[in-house]
Amino acid sequence: MMFSEHLLELRTKAGLTQQETAKGSKMSLRAYQNYEWGLREPKMTALIALADFYDISLDELACRTWPKKPEA
């Protein structure tokens, strides 16, 4: 799953608007929209703000599982 798709999924599952999510993660609406639409990749500060807002780890936010499973 792409990062932008995951952001959309998190937001819709929480029943939030883009405006509410942007405000809750202390970023502009346009910045959040750019991340959700896949137009820009967020900087670390924005990733941390989004993870804190959703109360999840950075790994969860990035759809990353740990430990990595060995490749076959």
Side-chain angles (χ1 to χ4, degrees):
M1 175 181 292
M2 299 282 297
F3 178 73
S4 58
E5 295 169 330
H6 188 56
L7 275 184
L8 174 61
E9 181 180 278
L10 287 168
R11 183 176 63 77
T12 55
K13 281 185 178 178
L16 299 168
T17 64
Q18 288 180 335
Q19 182 71 43
E20 292 166 328
T21 304
K23 185 177 181 180
S25 29
K26 298 176 177 74
M27 64 180 68
S28 71
L29 174 60
R30 179 62 63 198
Y32 177 79
Q33 288 172 330
N34 283 332
Y35 305 146
E36 189 176 288
W37 295 339
L39 301 175
R40 293 192 142 196
E41 291 291 324
K43 292 183 179 183
M44 183 59 71
T45 53
L47 290 170
I48 291 169
L50 287 164
D52 287 348
F53 177 73
Y54 285 114
D55 195 27
I56 58 177
S57 71
L58 288 171
D59 282 336
E60 290 173 290
L61 181 65
C63 304
R64 185 171 183 236
T65 56
W66 196 259
K68 289 185 177 182
K69 296 179 182 171
E71 294 182 26

